[in-house]
Amino acid sequence: MALAGHGIEIAAPFLDNEVIRACLAVPADQRGTPGRYKPLLSEAFAHTGVLPPFVLARVTKGGFNALAYAGLSEHASTLRDLLGPSSRLAAAGLVTEAPVAAVLQRAALGQPTAQGALHLAVAAEVWLRQLETAPAWWEVDSRVATV
């Protein structure tokens, strides 16, 4: 929907249902420790050759700021439309248009911004808009909502 309607491709492979199911199948106390970075990923891909060893051995996230700011700059008008006056998040009182517009302006200029918060806002906005066009996936009766 984000790609077709707004020209923005959102990739979130770690939010794939199968990945989430596999991770949740591991007991919480075995999912990680403070001294080990992304242990489930390391265990899943060790000795597969899919990921290079340096990826599995790293202890920090990669730096993608230049790419992120280039994308924010290139798609600034689309993002302003998405999170502007027609925003479902704003209509629900979850964001305020002026501060969001200021963050988008700073991002488009390559100035420091809260990219994580902006990403979450875009993802939530796209999800809310999708609900309007997607078939209902829940039923509500007088006692309980069921999926």
Side-chain angles (χ1 to χ4, degrees), residues 5 9 13-14 20 31 38 53 58 60 71 80 95 100 102 111 113 116 142 146:
E9 185 171 350
F14 296 123
I20 291 171
R31 288 187 201 145
K38 297 190 177 183
R58 73 181 189 187
T60 62
R80 277 192 296 274
V95 298
V100 172
Q111 297 173 350
T113 59
S142 62
T146 58

Side-chain angles (χ1 to χ4, degrees), residues 35-39 41-43 45-46 51-61:
R36 191 157 178 227
Y37 188 73
K38 297 190 177 183
L41 179 72
S42 295
E43 290 297 322
F45 289 99
L51 296 175
F54 77 88
V55 171
L56 297 175
R58 73 181 189 187
V59 293
T60 62
K61 287 189 166 276

Side-chain angles (χ1 to χ4, degrees), residues 55-109:
V55 171
L56 297 175
R58 73 181 189 187
V59 293
T60 62
K61 287 189 166 276
F64 301 102
N65 280 347
L67 291 172
Y69 281 111
L72 288 166
S73 181
E74 182 178 339
H75 298 287
S77 64
T78 301
L79 292 169
R80 277 192 296 274
D81 290 344
L82 188 68
L83 296 172
S86 66
S87 168
R88 280 41 168 197
L89 290 171
L94 298 171
V95 298
T96 305
E97 187 179 342
V100 172
V103 167
L104 288 171
Q105 179 64 26
R106 284 194 309 273
L109 295 172

Side-chain angles (χ1 to χ4, degrees), residues 1-8 10 82 88 125-134:
M1 180 183 155
L3 183 59
H6 305 285
I8 300 171
I10 297 176
L82 188 68
R88 280 41 168 197
E125 181 68 32
V126 169
W127 177 74
L128 286 171
R129 289 175 186 240
Q130 181 180 334
L131 288 178
E132 296 170 359
T133 59

